[in-house]
Amino acid sequence: MHELLRSYGRTLTGVFITLTAFWMLIMILLPQAFMIEHSLWWIDRDDQLGMRIDRAYSDMGLLEFDLGQADTPEGKADIQERIDGLKADIAAMEAEETAPPKHYGFDNYTKMSALHFEIFLKSIGYSLAVTILALIVCYPIAFTIAKLSTPNKAALLMLGLIVPYAINELLRVYAWLMILDYQGVINSLLAWLGLVSFEDKSWVPFLEYSGSVFVALIYAYVLFMIFPIYNTVETLDRNQLEASEDLGAGVIRTHLRVVIPHAKPGIAVGCIMTFMLSVGSYSVPQIMTRGKSGDWFSQLIYRQFFESQNWNSGAAYSFSLVLVCLGFILIMMKVFKVGIRDIAK
Amino acid sequence: MRGKDVRLQDVVMRFGGFTAVERTTLTINAGEFFSILGPSGCGKTTILRMVSGFIRPSEGKVLIGDQDMGALGPARRPTALIFQNLALFPLMTNWENVAFGLEARGVDRKTRRDRAFDLLALVGLQGHEEKSPNELSGGQKQRVAIARALAVEPAVLLLDEPLSALDLKLRQYMRAELKDIQRKTGVTFIFITHDQGEALTMSDRIAVMKAGVVEQVGDVDTIYDNPRTPFVATFVGENNVIEGRVTATGDGFATVETPHGMLRGRDQDRLSVGERAMLFVRPERSARVNGVAPDNVFDARFERRDLEGSFVNLFFKAGADSFIVHEANRGGHGGLEGAVKVGFNAADAVVMRAGEIEAEADDA
Ligand SMILES: Nc1ncnc2c1ncn2[C@@H]1O[C@H](COP(=O)(O)OP(=O)(O)OP(=O)(O)O)[C@@H](O)[C@H]1O
Ligand SMILES: [Mg+2]
């Protein structure tokens, strides 16, 4: 703070802080607060209400007719009383129809249907699997680039990894679709080898396996795993590896005892990013499954908002996801014994 | 004694088109303290890495204890390397660092912990076992590195300028310490340094290297008193150099015609008359001439003196050559101004074929 003041002066510092505060408020705090607020109430809309109002109106017509027919003043007064009561009821019902009552509570969270809860758990499980698979795939790549190649080769490899990311994410996912489709690249290859045939539809239905979503997700988010790991491994002194080897340690022990402890913050960040991106990914499962191997939770949330128009349960669903992500971050920090400070690096 | 000998046979090391180590044959005896001395970039580390197995020589063989190391990796050789930057594992405690080699050999935790504690005690680090290496001073880190290397009971310990990062006092202390550990354990030490003083005080034998070539191998006295090349003569210790042409030889002595007259010294290269030669004489074997004249005497002009404490350096100029005389400090260095006579005995001077000398000797 003081340093900012010293290096940029009062006005610029003020601008920086205002902008940061604005960003925090408008882009992060307000939407989240809105979500939380929406997730905490629901509207109790009574489906029978319209009918009941109609019935009350016809009852009233009858009563008004009765009123004209009544001959004793006592009877008249009696009917008038019932008409008044009915009028009050109708007014109350109409008020409820225009402004249905809002109830506050945790119902949006607790009344998630069994099916939706299963999808919720499945999405978390799948995202964990994607994260672990991505880690298994990316760690060796990151290590190889950081330590085993010459600087020139490392730059080239990095470029090779980054170039596909110049293409839109959707296009990259569609590329996988083309590869894995019924009549896609792999099946065509298999057909060419005579292993499957398009005529009798004996192709391998890759897209119906959740594995295809895994593949596309891993591919979509590899960089988020590779970069943090690469950055930390890169800072490891090469002599540490040689010292370990010189003392008789094999490749696995060197990694377990020297490289991984050093790369922990990077691994934690990579896992957190990949998990959060996977669990919240909408386009990848949407494109890859085309609705054939069940929903992901993100698709569910989308439908709550934009198809069922049920913003309240949508908000509750998406806030649950936020909570899961926060929980995941905390667990990763605990498991890898890294602090916020390490992660921020 | 558990040290083993190390032999390099016709070893050559090339990196691409660049030859880092020219064809070298070298024997390092079992249990000796052997130093490789040379200026920066001359290939010292490269030799060490060939012995430890990180790189394979382009040609030739490395034998340790009569066994051809061939393609054996560092993990399988009976060597341990102490890195130029120590390369301790910062995320392990000191005892885990020391025990790491044993861990890699599958020794159980209790045994290796005890062994690590013993070794840390040996290097004087009791009470620091559970600390991280980052909590130690430079000299203490050094000792953890030594303990870590000794833990795997190597037959050959390779040390790559391990003292260069320490300050003078600590360096002197660690020299004695290292020497002591070497005597106690009987392990063969191959010690790399670019500091000739360090090499002279610690070693049994020294190899002096220059640009990938081992110029001379010998015990410390031989290297100091009978340097074989102009480079060794000037790189190890200080030497006065006087160039000239040989006019006579005989009885193991050569007479050289120099700008300062005829000077005589031991003929090391069996020179022939007419050859260009260099005469080297140590400053402490040179003197001002007052009474009894030594074999060689010539005129010089006094320039300045540096008081070193127990002795003084007197700087003279004879024509274009500088001439340094070390004198014991007995007081009374006055009255030097102007022309004086300086000289030395022929037996204290070495004459050899002219060659390249170390321009700025000894950067330590
Ligand atoms: N892996 C390598 N690839 C290419 N050249 C190398 C390699 N290792 C060393 N060299 C070159 O070989 C020469 C000798 O290097 P070396 O590290 O053995 O020097 P050194 O005597 O240990 O120097 P210093 O005292 O500075 O440590 C240097 O010119 C260096 O650039
Ligand atoms: Mg070196």
Side-chain angles (χ1 to χ4, degrees), chain B residues 41 43-46 84 160-161 192:
Chain B
K44 307 181 294 286
T45 300
T46 307
Q84 209 155 356
D160 193 351
E161 308 201 29
I192 281 193

Side-chain angles (χ1 to χ4, degrees), chain A residues 101-147:
Chain A
K102 252 163 99 173
H103 298 282
Y104 280 90
F106 288 102
D107 282 34
N108 288 325
Y109 293 93
T110 51
K111 72 172 193 228
M112 195 185 283
S113 72
L115 178 66
H116 286 187
F117 190 62
E118 197 190 311
I119 292 175
F120 179 63
L121 292 184
K122 207 174 75 179
S123 294
I124 294 172
Y126 280 1
S127 301
L128 284 176
V130 167
T131 307
I132 293 168
L133 285 174
L135 179 62
I136 293 172
V137 173
C138 294
Y139 176 80
I141 298 177
F143 180 80
T144 308
I145 299 176
K147 280 288 159 284

Side-chain angles (χ1 to χ4, degrees), chain A residues 237 239-250 253-254 257-258 261-262, chain B residues 49 54 74-75 80-81 83 85 88-92 100-101 103-105 148:
Chain A
D237 178 9
N239 283 350
Q240 299 253 317
L241 300 176
E242 296 192 336
S244 173
E245 191 187 353
D246 191 51
L247 290 167
R253 187 180 304 275
T254 301
R257 296 284 278 141
V258 179
H262 179 86
Chain B
R49 291 173 69 79
F54 284 110
L81 177 59
F83 288 79
N85 67 353
L88 294 174
F89 305 123
L91 298 175
M92 298 182 200
F100 187 76
E103 184 186 326
R105 282 160 179 72
R148 184 177 74 174

Side-chain angles (χ1 to χ4, degrees), chain A residues 12-142:
Chain A
L12 265 183
T13 307
V15 170
F16 286 161
I17 290 173
T18 318
L19 281 178
T20 314
F22 181 78
W23 184 74
M24 293 272 288
L25 191 71
I26 300 295
M27 304 303 290
I28 300 177
L29 291 178
L30 276 183
Q32 282 307 327
F34 176 83
M35 280 289 183
I36 295 173
E37 200 267 343
H38 267 63
S39 73
L40 288 177
W41 56 261
W42 72 96
I43 286 169
D44 199 1
R45 214 182 287 275
D46 187 347
D47 301 337
Q48 311 286 311
L49 201 60
M51 223 184 348
R52 272 173 34 222
I53 294 174
D54 285 349
R55 197 177 304 137
Y57 271 116
S58 65
D59 283 355
M60 189 132 90
L62 283 174
L63 282 172
E64 265 161 5
F65 178 76
D66 286 350
L67 190 66
Q69 301 290 307
D71 28 18
T72 59
E74 293 82 40
K76 258 194 172 118
D78 186 36
I79 292 170
Q80 186 62 48
E81 200 175 309
R82 280 165 61 192
I83 288 177
D84 290 346
L86 208 53
K87 266 190 181 149
D89 280 356
I90 288 173
M93 283 193 286
E94 279 178 346
E96 189 183 332
E97 193 182 33
T98 45
K102 252 163 99 173
H103 298 282
Y104 280 90
F106 288 102
D107 282 34
N108 288 325
Y109 293 93
T110 51
K111 72 172 193 228
M112 195 185 283
S113 72
L115 178 66
H116 286 187
F117 190 62
E118 197 190 311
I119 292 175
F120 179 63
L121 292 184
K122 207 174 75 179
S123 294
I124 294 172
Y126 280 1
S127 301
L128 284 176
V130 167
T131 307
I132 293 168
L133 285 174
L135 179 62
I136 293 172
V137 173
C138 294
Y139 176 80
I141 298 177

Side-chain angles (χ1 to χ4, degrees), chain B residues 15-16 18-21 38-47 49 55 84 160-161 192 194:
Chain B
F15 295 110
F18 173 74
T19 309
V21 176
S40 186
C42 70
K44 307 181 294 286
T45 300
T46 307
I47 288 192
R49 291 173 69 79
I55 49 177
Q84 209 155 356
D160 193 351
E161 308 201 29
I192 281 193
H194 61 257

Side-chain angles (χ1 to χ4, degrees), chain A residues 294-305:
Chain A
D295 272 329
W296 276 54
F297 199 63
S298 51
Q299 290 164 285
L300 223 52
I301 295 175
Y302 175 86
R303 284 214 300 273
Q304 293 294 330
F305 276 106

